[in-house]
Amino acid sequence: MAFFDRFTKSSNPLLKEEAIAKTNTLDGGVTQRAETDPMTVSGAVNKSLIMGALLLITSLYSFANPSPLFLWGGAIGGLVLVLVMSFKRHLSPTLAPIYALLEGLFVGSVTAMYAAGFGAGIVFQAVLLTMALLFMMLFVYKAGLIKVTQKFRTGIMMATGGIFLVYLINIGLSFFGINMPFLHEGGMIGIGISLFIIGIATLNLLLDFDSFERAAAMRAPKYMEWFCAMGLIVTLVWLYIEVLRLLAILSSSD
């Protein structure tokens, strides 16, 4: 699995408060709110469903026809589009669907690798757990059980940034044949680290839900529906991959 480890993604560094606040700054202009046809929460949800459907289509195809081209092309292409959209958010209506298609190729290829090594059952379990965590956190957010305050947002983003930094260091070391100890490995420490990462990824969902509502409240432009939807998909993919990895670790420990 070291081949795949190089393409583990961080969660969502895109939907910071600064990014939402600058939604109309296309190329360094003055921030303005949309006077007509602003984004809505329901619109962002619909765009998320569309992106999820596109991701599922290409995931099923690459799962049935696994290829290194799909793995590398989906990972690198998706990352490039995310970076472009983070600076050119007005391009999200065009680039976000393409990102979903590319990400599907990546997810399907990775899923096929795990299914080949641990059986198809692990995939079914990972999908169910990911969806369960999504709806659980949606309930938590709507019920107000966890308030997304500025301190909470800052803490989760700092933890996410730390995980992302560890991933980058691990990728760099992997080119020299070195892997960071305990990261995605068996044993109590390895399982604990995996659970911690899943916990942070899950809490990132709260930031995504909050970003939907904050952007809508700020009357962000319509294209931000695609941008916010893309952020949610990034988090869900990260969460799914980490759940898949944890299940693989647990299966290996049996």
Side-chain angles (χ1 to χ4, degrees), residues 145-226:
L145 299 179
I146 298 179
K147 299 292 186 180
V148 183
T149 63
Q150 183 59 42
K151 288 184 178 180
F152 178 83
R153 187 179 298 113
T154 301
I156 296 303
M157 292 181 65
M158 289 178 63
T160 299
I163 293 171
F164 182 62
L165 179 60
V166 170
Y167 284 158
L168 289 179
I169 294 174
N170 190 52
I171 291 173
L173 292 176
S174 68
F175 288 109
F176 301 96
I178 304 172
N179 288 316
M180 294 188 69
F182 306 117
L183 185 63
H184 302 126
E185 293 183 358
M188 294 303 296
I189 296 179
I191 292 174
I193 292 175
S194 185
L195 286 172
F196 173 76
I197 294 175
I198 289 174
I200 296 301
T202 302
L203 291 175
N204 265 270
L205 290 172
L206 296 179
L207 303 191
D208 294 329
F209 300 150
D210 185 60
S211 294
F212 278 35
E213 295 194 344
R214 285 190 298 117
M218 295 171 65
R219 295 183 60 83
K222 197 70 173 177
Y223 61 75
M224 285 299 291
E225 292 178 351
W226 287 103

Side-chain angles (χ1 to χ4, degrees), residues 134-145 209:
L134 170 64
F135 288 112
M136 180 186 73
M137 297 313 293
L138 182 59
F139 171 78
V140 168
Y141 179 76
K142 286 298 184 180
L145 299 179
F209 300 150

Side-chain angles (χ1 to χ4, degrees), residues 3-20:
F3 174 78
F4 152 69
D5 289 345
R6 297 184 181 185
F7 291 98
T8 301
K9 293 194 172 199
S10 126
S11 69
N12 190 355
L14 304 172
L15 296 183
K16 298 180 181 179
E17 189 154 355
E18 297 87 358
I20 299 297

Side-chain angles (χ1 to χ4, degrees), residues 37-51:
D37 196 25
M39 76 160 281
T40 62
V41 173
S42 60
V45 170
N46 291 335
K47 302 304 189 295
S48 299
L49 293 175
I50 292 173
M51 291 186 66

Side-chain angles (χ1 to χ4, degrees), residues 48-253:
S48 299
L49 293 175
I50 292 173
M51 291 186 66
L54 293 174
L55 186 146
L56 180 61
I57 291 171
T58 50
S59 292
L60 292 174
Y61 181 81
S62 59
F63 179 79
N65 304 277
S67 167
L69 177 62
F70 293 154
L71 177 66
W72 289 77
I76 297 174
L79 178 59
V80 169
L81 289 182
V82 167
L83 292 175
V84 171
M85 282 184 281
S86 66
F87 292 101
K88 301 289 184 178
R89 288 178 285 278
H90 62 292
L91 298 179
S92 297
T94 300
L95 299 184
I98 299 175
Y99 162 79
L101 293 172
L102 289 173
E103 196 72 357
L105 295 177
F106 168 74
V107 170
S109 299
V110 171
T111 301
M113 292 170 59
Y114 277 99
F118 300 95
I122 193 176
V123 176
F124 182 70
Q125 294 172 14
V127 171
L128 282 183
L129 284 172
T130 302
M131 291 297 99
L133 290 171
L134 170 64
F135 288 112
M136 180 186 73
M137 297 313 293
L138 182 59
F139 171 78
V140 168
Y141 179 76
K142 286 298 184 180
L145 299 179
I146 298 179
K147 299 292 186 180
V148 183
T149 63
Q150 183 59 42
K151 288 184 178 180
F152 178 83
R153 187 179 298 113
T154 301
I156 296 303
M157 292 181 65
M158 289 178 63
T160 299
I163 293 171
F164 182 62
L165 179 60
V166 170
Y167 284 158
L168 289 179
I169 294 174
N170 190 52
I171 291 173
L173 292 176
S174 68
F175 288 109
F176 301 96
I178 304 172
N179 288 316
M180 294 188 69
F182 306 117
L183 185 63
H184 302 126
E185 293 183 358
M188 294 303 296
I189 296 179
I191 292 174
I193 292 175
S194 185
L195 286 172
F196 173 76
I197 294 175
I198 289 174
I200 296 301
T202 302
L203 291 175
N204 265 270
L205 290 172
L206 296 179
L207 303 191
D208 294 329
F209 300 150
D210 185 60
S211 294
F212 278 35
E213 295 194 344
R214 285 190 298 117
M218 295 171 65
R219 295 183 60 83
K222 197 70 173 177
Y223 61 75
M224 285 299 291
E225 292 178 351
W226 287 103
F227 183 78
C228 290
M230 183 270 297
L232 177 61
I233 295 299
V234 169
T235 303
L236 283 175
V237 169
W238 180 39
L239 178 60
Y240 168 73
I241 295 299
E242 292 299 337
V243 169
L244 196 57
R245 279 177 156 168
L246 176 61
L247 292 174
I249 291 173
L250 295 175
S251 296
S252 301
S253 301

